[in-house]
Amino acid sequence: MNELALEINDLTVAYREKPVLWDIDLNVPKGVMMAIVGPNGAGKSTLIKSALGLVKPVAGDVKIFGTDYITQRKKVAYVPQRTSVDWDFPTTVLDVVMMGTYGKLGWFRRPGIKEKSAALDALQRVGMDSFAARQISELSGGQQQRTFLARALVQDAEIYFLDEPFAGVDTKTEKHIVNILKELKSSGKTIIAVHHELMTVKEYFDYIALINVKLVNSGKVSEIFNAENIKLTYGGHSNIWETNKF
Amino acid sequence: MVEFNIILISSFTAVSCAIAGVFLILRRMSLMSDAISHAVLPGIIVAFLLVEDRTSPLLIFGAALSGLILVYLTELIHKTKLVKEDAAVGLVFPAMFSFGVILITQYLSSVHFHEHSVLVGDINLSAINLIDIFGFSLPKAIPILSVVLLLNIIFISIFFKELKLTTFDAGLAAAFGFSPVLLHYLFMSLISITAVASFDTAGSILVIALMIAPAASAYLLTNNLTLMFLISGIIGIVSSVLGFYFSFWLNSTPSGGIAVITGLIFLLTYLFSPKYGLIIKSLKQKRQREEFYIKVLIMHILNHQNTEIAEIENQKSGIYHHLKWSGERAEKVIDYCLKNNYIFENHGILSVSESGKQFLNNRD
Amino acid sequence: MEDIIKLLLTDYTLRNVAIGASILGLVSGSLGTFAFLRKESLMGDVVAHSSLLGITLIFILTYLLTGMGLKNEPMLMLGAVISGIIAMIFVSKITSDSRIKSDSAMGIILAIFFGGGMFLLTMIQQSNIENKAGLSSYLFGSAATISHQNVWMMSVLGFIAVLLMFIFWKEFKVHTFDPDFGETIGVNRKNTNLLIISVIVIAIVIGLQAVGVILMVALIVAPPSAARQWTNNLKIMTIISAIIGLVSGLIGAIASSLVSNLPTGPTIVLVATFIFIISVLFSPKRGIISELIRKYKDKRRILISLALSDMYYLEMNHDDRMSFGHSSKVIDKMNPINYNIQKSLTIMKSEGLVNEVAKDNWKLTDKGIDRAKMIQQEKGN
């Protein structure tokens, strides 16, 4: 575990000169499953988005497997928040999953038989193979989430970023998704997910980053996921500077 | 005298539209002015075909009805969830307007209406069409326009509280028992009536321009809702006067001229408004950004001082590399912080002073 | 009909009109799909209105430079494209740099650009510049003014726009559906956005001469709105939308050339709107009528299962069920809600669930009993 999958150095992100993330240093070793945990407005989604180059930092940088995002793009998969798209878009489940192959196809080339069978495989893994031809507006929340996960699986990446993968899905789907993520982890992939439910952190993840605009702490769940750190992250500190380590 | 009458008519129109426009833009329905000013056409034409009198108040009634039909059809289509709201509007008003234009060309070609005048109105004609009121010879349009202006003022004063509430928190308004839907229809009727009364003289472009631009300019100047009405009305009048002379000078349509002037006034407020203008904002932003860079630097040093990697992270000559800043920016920010004693240097390693910590805490 | 075809083959003007209108419908229909899905239908309205300023400005500039009115339509189209794109840029600048919301920004830009355009147009018309007559056709559209040169220009521009859509299909699709995801796989948000806007502007400008600046929005909105009802597949939707655009353009333009005093733009718009209404009403998947039928059938099914249960209950509680059935009145009394028992019984009979053993005496068949048992079981679960 000497190689770092994700390396965030001194990252500061601001919207209209208001800091959303403050000087974050975060290292994520290869092959772990990390939860990003923190209260609402703590900058969890922003952290993922800046790792993916979707948000420009004011200071600092992000490295994926040692270099910048653009050169590593094909090793990265992204599962956005389910609610970020219009599910009334005229397309089918299979077609959405096929979008996962576009990155590797590059410009001009169209998806063919190879891409289609990869998409069908991914759908089978998430238990949605019988929904391939289904119009996406007819899906339940859990099915939408599994469709997005299948799209990420098709990307066949080394590192997976998931933004609230369990938001608004039923328990059965949640367990299913966790199992798939654990499978990925056991085959050496790295998983980083924004997570809301503190109760399940221990069960699902082995690494954790606690953030509230600033990084409160990060490391193995077994070592740092304790009452004190949770209180530091969520506790009634109106002034974020007080949570400083020194 | 004609000049005076034109300015009088357009000022009356301007104030009515500018007042109606304030809630229109706050309710984020600006483009309804475009849709309504087009959609009232078939109502006017049908009413005219029935009474054959261009000055009949029935025309205004027809127009208001037409406006309501637009609102109703749009909501009807939107409610089926088959298309989104923007598309629903974009479907209904062109169809209604097309219907109106075809009615004109088939039944009224060359008589009283001309498609062209629908767009720019015919303010010159209105200005010479006079009527005697209390011994004064005034344009015939003035009585109608005064009624509409009065209607606007009365409606908005009566429903001020309700409009405000439904605009900013429709859910709460409904909980209090004000029906947002009813108010929406009432308000849209007011917009239709205002649009049609102005239609004859101003044409549809000017209705759109006068409803949106003065109110939007006022929105850039003040946060006070009452003041917004006042400013919006004044901008409307100023635009009318300037716009008239502008078009008189270049021998063109007053409607187009006034529309252009409202746009220019908006541009001026957009750039120079002391509160929300582009220039003041970019100055403020520049200052904020500089202050923010200082904070980022202090924060960075603070995070790493007293840790084992402080010598790497907080080295004065290497800090730009960690923050991914240009050497020039880093130097400027470091110099400023050193000068103000926010940070101090010890063998090339930077540390944060007490006043630096205070700077972070105080000015969040 | 034969006459029209003969005319199309022989009449030079009508042929130009037909080809021009088909191209404009085809292009605006296919690219309108993306405007529709991006929820930017009203942007089309702003672009169309705004292009009048570009058209009139170019006309005046050429007059000032050459002393002659411009009859070179490609230049006018270029002016329209430029002012359309500038208007869009202004709208997004105002929205991002100030507290003005996008609807107001669109309204202001529309009013200024269109008002300015009308201002210049009136100026031109009151002057004595030659060739000025053609300009006013840009307001409501005039198919009759479409020349051979126009058709050629429309084809080239339309071909470019559709070709770009075809080449970047994958990118357009993923960007429209999920721009963030697109960005992470290398579909640059800013560039793709600009490209999509540009091709939509081109599509709008192509139609201006025939449909006019005021009504062009309808040709961007109506065909895709109609097409959306018939399919859940983006590719097919684009093709259907293009066909609807083509048909509307063609019918509208030919009708207005043949009927005197019928303005082209409004006619095309009404044809397109008519197709939309038909689609919304009659589409088998999403249409209003099929939805109503579905609802009616659902309701009927529930009522029938109620009636079945009630009859089953009646027959089970009269141990001599072999001997007689029950009258509709008795069955009706079983349930407090009015479930139109006569109608239900007729349907049930046609499905072989009940028999009318004597006049108004109804009895469950074996099939009916099985079905009733099934319903009981479902209820139990």
Side-chain angles (χ1 to χ4, degrees), chain C residues 33-85:
Chain C
T33 304
F34 283 96
F36 175 81
L37 293 174
R38 287 157 57 92
K39 302 174 193 78
E40 278 182 348
S41 304
L42 293 175
M43 262 305 195
D45 197 30
V46 178
V47 168
H49 276 79
S50 301
S51 55
L52 188 66
L53 183 63
I55 292 168
T56 48
L57 258 183
I58 287 262
F59 187 89
I60 288 184
L61 280 179
T62 354
Y63 174 72
L64 292 177
L65 288 174
T66 64
M68 276 201 346
L70 188 67
K71 219 188 151 17
N72 184 357
E73 275 94 355
M75 282 297 283
L76 294 179
M77 280 193 178
L78 189 71
V81 171
I82 293 172
S83 70
I85 291 177

XYZ file of all heavy atoms in Angstrom, chain C residues 33-85:
397
model
N -34.369 19.719 -31.097
C -34.372 18.642 -30.107
C -33.459 18.970 -28.939
O -33.817 18.781 -27.781
C -33.892 17.336 -30.769
O -34.714 17.084 -31.889
C -33.997 16.179 -29.806
N -32.277 19.496 -29.270
C -31.341 19.780 -28.181
C -31.766 21.009 -27.371
O -31.633 21.013 -26.156
C -29.918 19.916 -28.729
C -29.320 18.576 -29.042
C -29.368 18.060 -30.326
C -28.770 17.799 -28.039
C -28.858 16.800 -30.613
C -28.260 16.545 -28.295
C -28.297 16.041 -29.603
N -32.296 22.029 -28.056
C -32.794 23.193 -27.320
C -33.895 22.750 -26.368
O -33.959 23.170 -25.218
C -33.319 24.248 -28.285
N -34.764 21.872 -26.856
C -35.881 21.358 -26.060
C -35.369 20.608 -24.835
O -35.816 20.848 -23.717
C -36.723 20.443 -26.948
C -37.843 19.732 -26.251
C -39.034 20.374 -26.007
C -37.701 18.415 -25.846
C -40.082 19.712 -25.371
C -38.740 17.750 -25.207
C -39.926 18.404 -24.969
N -34.415 19.721 -25.030
C -33.929 18.907 -23.917
C -33.094 19.721 -22.941
O -33.010 19.401 -21.769
C -33.115 17.723 -24.439
C -33.935 16.687 -25.211
C -33.032 15.631 -25.822
C -34.968 16.028 -24.300
N -32.484 20.794 -23.429
C -31.717 21.673 -22.534
C -32.623 22.674 -21.825
O -32.151 23.525 -21.095
C -30.652 22.429 -23.337
C -29.489 21.568 -23.786
C -28.800 22.170 -24.995
N -28.323 23.517 -24.776
C -27.094 23.820 -24.352
N -26.255 22.864 -24.099
N -26.726 25.059 -24.176
N -33.909 22.585 -22.053
C -34.908 23.489 -21.479
C -34.592 24.934 -21.845
O -34.705 25.842 -21.046
C -34.993 23.334 -19.964
C -35.329 21.913 -19.585
C -35.283 21.678 -18.097
C -35.300 20.193 -17.804
N -33.995 19.550 -18.001
N -34.151 25.106 -23.084
C -33.781 26.436 -23.541
C -34.677 26.885 -24.677
O -34.247 27.616 -25.563
C -32.327 26.438 -23.997
C -31.377 26.565 -22.845
C -29.931 26.620 -23.282
O -29.640 26.334 -24.442
O -29.100 26.948 -22.425
N -35.930 26.450 -24.663
C -36.818 26.790 -25.766
C -36.935 28.297 -25.924
O -36.935 28.818 -27.039
C -38.192 26.200 -25.516
O -38.088 24.821 -25.321
N -37.025 29.014 -24.806
C -37.231 30.457 -24.911
C -35.965 31.181 -25.348
O -36.018 32.305 -25.838
C -37.770 31.016 -23.599
C -39.189 30.517 -23.311
C -39.668 30.968 -21.950
C -40.165 31.002 -24.382
N -34.810 30.525 -25.188
C -33.593 31.069 -25.755
C -33.773 31.238 -27.263
O -33.266 32.186 -27.861
C -32.419 30.118 -25.496
C -31.566 30.498 -24.316
S -30.944 32.166 -24.451
C -29.677 32.178 -23.249
N -34.468 30.265 -27.876
C -34.732 30.353 -29.303
C -35.480 31.627 -29.643
O -35.214 32.280 -30.658
N -36.404 32.002 -28.777
C -37.180 33.225 -28.981
C -36.260 34.444 -28.946
O -36.357 35.336 -29.781
C -38.226 33.323 -27.866
C -39.323 34.307 -28.196
O -39.614 34.471 -29.388
O -39.867 34.907 -27.259
N -35.360 34.456 -27.967
C -34.447 35.587 -27.831
C -33.528 35.691 -29.047
O -33.352 36.766 -29.623
C -33.602 35.446 -26.539
C -32.617 36.589 -26.426
C -34.498 35.402 -25.327
N -32.967 34.542 -29.442
C -32.047 34.552 -30.595
C -32.769 35.040 -31.841
O -32.261 35.902 -32.576
C -31.477 33.141 -30.832
C -30.771 33.073 -32.174
C -30.523 32.781 -29.722
N -33.977 34.520 -32.071
C -34.695 34.874 -33.293
C -35.002 36.372 -33.326
O -34.718 37.061 -34.308
C -35.977 34.062 -33.379
N -35.551 36.897 -32.220
C -35.862 38.320 -32.165
C -34.588 39.157 -32.351
O -34.573 40.146 -33.061
C -36.497 38.691 -30.826
C -37.980 38.449 -30.762
N -38.512 37.210 -30.552
C -39.039 39.276 -30.888
C -39.824 37.292 -30.546
N -40.183 38.543 -30.744
N -33.527 38.731 -31.670
C -32.304 39.524 -31.650
C -31.648 39.618 -33.019
O -30.933 40.579 -33.307
C -31.297 38.926 -30.666
O -31.849 38.879 -29.393
N -31.882 38.614 -33.853
C -31.172 38.613 -35.130
C -31.606 39.777 -36.016
O -30.878 40.164 -36.924
C -31.387 37.283 -35.842
O -32.760 37.059 -35.963
N -32.776 40.353 -35.729
C -33.229 41.482 -36.553
C -32.224 42.635 -36.505
O -31.985 43.305 -37.507
C -34.604 41.976 -36.083
C -35.236 43.018 -37.000
C -35.578 42.413 -38.349
C -36.490 43.618 -36.384
N -31.615 42.839 -35.346
C -30.640 43.924 -35.222
C -29.453 43.671 -36.145
O -29.000 44.574 -36.850
C -30.171 44.062 -33.772
C -29.212 45.217 -33.501
C -29.860 46.545 -33.784
C -28.718 45.184 -32.058
N -28.969 42.439 -36.166
C -27.834 42.100 -37.020
C -28.166 42.306 -38.488
O -27.370 42.871 -39.254
N -29.367 41.873 -38.865
C -29.778 41.988 -40.269
C -29.820 43.451 -40.698
O -29.254 43.837 -41.716
C -31.163 41.325 -40.457
C -31.042 39.815 -40.258
C -31.729 41.646 -41.827
C -32.367 39.097 -40.142
N -30.479 44.280 -39.880
C -30.629 45.685 -40.265
C -29.296 46.428 -40.176
O -29.010 47.294 -40.996
C -31.672 46.389 -39.376
O -31.385 46.091 -38.015
C -33.070 45.918 -39.701
N -28.471 46.073 -39.184
C -27.173 46.741 -39.053
C -26.300 46.489 -40.270
O -25.700 47.408 -40.826
C -26.453 46.244 -37.795
C -26.480 47.149 -36.568
C -25.658 46.528 -35.449
C -25.935 48.538 -36.897
N -26.238 45.229 -40.688
C -25.422 44.877 -41.856
C -25.926 45.653 -43.076
O -25.153 46.196 -43.856
C -25.499 43.356 -42.120
C -24.695 42.608 -41.072
C -25.020 43.028 -43.529
C -23.301 42.212 -41.476
N -27.252 45.728 -43.190
C -27.846 46.421 -44.328
C -27.410 47.887 -44.346
O -26.980 48.415 -45.374
C -29.371 46.314 -44.240
C -30.084 46.848 -45.450
C -30.353 46.023 -46.534
C -30.489 48.181 -45.501
C -31.003 46.514 -47.652
C -31.147 48.682 -46.616
C -31.404 47.843 -47.693
N -27.498 48.536 -43.196
C -27.152 49.952 -43.120
C -25.649 50.158 -43.324
O -25.215 51.056 -44.046
C -27.605 50.555 -41.767
C -29.129 50.673 -41.770
C -26.979 51.912 -41.522
C -29.697 51.336 -40.557
N -24.843 49.291 -42.701
C -23.399 49.416 -42.849
C -22.984 49.330 -44.311
O -22.189 50.138 -44.791
C -22.691 48.319 -42.035
C -22.565 48.582 -40.534
C -21.872 47.415 -39.846
C -21.796 49.884 -40.288
N -23.552 48.338 -45.022
C -23.197 48.217 -46.438
C -23.641 49.446 -47.212
O -22.946 49.903 -48.116
C -23.869 46.991 -47.087
O -24.528 46.264 -46.101
C -22.876 46.141 -47.805
N -24.803 49.962 -46.847
C -25.276 51.160 -47.530
C -24.307 52.319 -47.309
O -23.967 53.049 -48.235
C -26.671 51.539 -47.034
C -27.151 52.853 -47.607
C -27.528 52.936 -48.945
C -27.197 54.011 -46.826
C -27.950 54.135 -49.485
C -27.621 55.204 -47.344
C -28.003 55.269 -48.684
O -28.407 56.450 -49.216
N -23.861 52.467 -46.073
C -22.945 53.556 -45.765
C -21.618 53.380 -46.497
O -20.985 54.336 -46.908
C -22.701 53.649 -44.252
C -23.906 54.099 -43.410
C -23.561 54.078 -41.933
C -24.374 55.489 -43.842
N -21.201 52.120 -46.655
C -19.908 51.868 -47.302
C -19.994 51.942 -48.815
O -19.124 52.494 -49.471
C -19.387 50.479 -46.889
C -18.887 50.362 -45.447
C -18.539 48.918 -45.110
C -17.676 51.262 -45.228
N -21.075 51.392 -49.378
C -21.137 51.283 -50.840
C -22.154 52.228 -51.464
O -22.172 52.408 -52.672
C -21.528 49.858 -51.253
O -22.855 49.611 -50.768
C -20.578 48.829 -50.681
N -23.023 52.790 -50.638
C -24.048 53.673 -51.175
C -25.194 52.896 -51.810
O -26.041 53.458 -52.486
N -25.207 51.573 -51.570
C -26.278 50.766 -52.156
C -26.891 49.849 -51.120
O -26.225 49.434 -50.189
C -25.722 49.927 -53.304
C -25.696 50.727 -54.574
S -25.637 49.791 -56.078
C -25.221 48.161 -55.700
N -28.171 49.551 -51.293
C -28.815 48.598 -50.396
C -28.287 47.214 -50.685
O -27.923 46.900 -51.815
N -28.228 46.394 -49.637
C -27.646 45.069 -49.765
C -28.688 44.100 -50.290
O -29.763 43.964 -49.735
C -27.160 44.628 -48.393
C -26.345 43.352 -48.327
C -25.017 43.542 -49.027
C -26.115 43.009 -46.873
N -28.329 43.422 -51.395
C -29.258 42.387 -51.808
C -28.638 41.014 -51.619
O -29.203 39.988 -51.982
C -29.676 42.600 -53.259
C -31.164 42.269 -53.353
C -31.723 42.226 -54.691
C -32.893 41.297 -54.864
N -33.593 40.823 -53.734
N -27.473 41.074 -50.969
C -26.710 39.850 -50.803
C -27.158 39.136 -49.520
O -26.683 39.419 -48.436
C -25.230 40.250 -50.731
C -24.346 39.061 -50.650
O -24.822 37.937 -50.601
N -23.055 39.302 -50.627
N -28.104 38.183 -49.682
C -28.683 37.576 -48.481
C -27.700 36.823 -47.592
O -27.850 36.822 -46.385
C -29.863 36.670 -48.839
C -31.155 37.435 -48.976
C -31.408 37.823 -50.407
O -30.513 37.558 -51.230
O -32.474 38.383 -50.682
N -26.690 36.141 -48.178
C -25.741 35.481 -47.279
C -25.165 36.433 -46.245
O -25.005 36.070 -45.077
C -24.661 34.980 -48.234
C -25.374 34.735 -49.495
C -26.442 35.793 -49.581
N -24.890 37.682 -46.665
C -24.355 38.644 -45.706
C -25.374 38.941 -44.602
O -25.024 39.060 -43.432
C -23.997 39.955 -46.412
C -22.679 39.906 -47.176
S -21.292 39.612 -46.081
C -21.128 41.242 -45.366
N -26.639 39.054 -44.997
C -27.674 39.322 -43.995
C -27.770 38.166 -43.003
O -27.904 38.362 -41.798
C -29.030 39.540 -44.673
C -29.158 40.777 -45.560
C -30.543 40.841 -46.165
C -28.882 42.037 -44.760
N -27.680 36.949 -43.523
C -27.723 35.776 -42.640
C -26.551 35.786 -41.681
O -26.686 35.456 -40.511
C -27.697 34.494 -43.470
C -29.042 34.123 -44.057
S -28.971 32.445 -44.671
C -30.640 32.221 -45.242
N -25.396 36.184 -42.207
C -24.207 36.256 -41.359
C -24.458 37.250 -40.223
O -24.155 36.982 -39.064
C -23.009 36.691 -42.210
C -21.662 36.600 -41.509
C -21.271 35.145 -41.329
C -20.592 37.346 -42.297
N -25.030 38.416 -40.580
C -25.353 39.410 -39.564
C -26.279 38.824 -38.506
O -26.103 39.039 -37.306
N -27.255 38.037 -38.968
C -28.207 37.431 -38.040
C -27.510 36.456 -37.104
O -27.744 36.459 -35.892
C -29.310 36.719 -38.821
N -26.621 35.626 -37.664
C -25.906 34.647 -36.831
C -25.090 35.373 -35.769
O -25.148 35.044 -34.580
C -24.977 33.755 -37.687
C -24.083 32.905 -36.793
C -25.787 32.862 -38.598
N -24.361 36.393 -36.211
C -23.484 37.100 -35.266
C -24.304 37.745 -34.152
O -24.002 37.572 -32.968
C -22.630 38.162 -35.996
C -21.647 37.453 -36.928
C -21.869 39.026 -34.995
C -20.891 38.385 -37.848
N -25.372 38.466 -34.530
C -26.101 39.143 -33.453
C -26.826 38.133 -32.568
O -26.991 38.350 -31.370
C -27.038 40.217 -33.995
O -28.117 39.645 -34.667
N -27.231 36.997 -33.133
C -27.843 35.947 -32.301
C -26.871 35.428 -31.259
O -27.201 35.311 -30.083
N -25.642 35.158 -31.689
C -24.653 34.626 -30.746
C -24.270 35.690 -29.714
O -24.160 35.402 -28.518
C -23.406 34.099 -31.494
C -23.793 32.836 -32.281
C -22.279 33.770 -30.521
C -22.686 32.246 -33.111
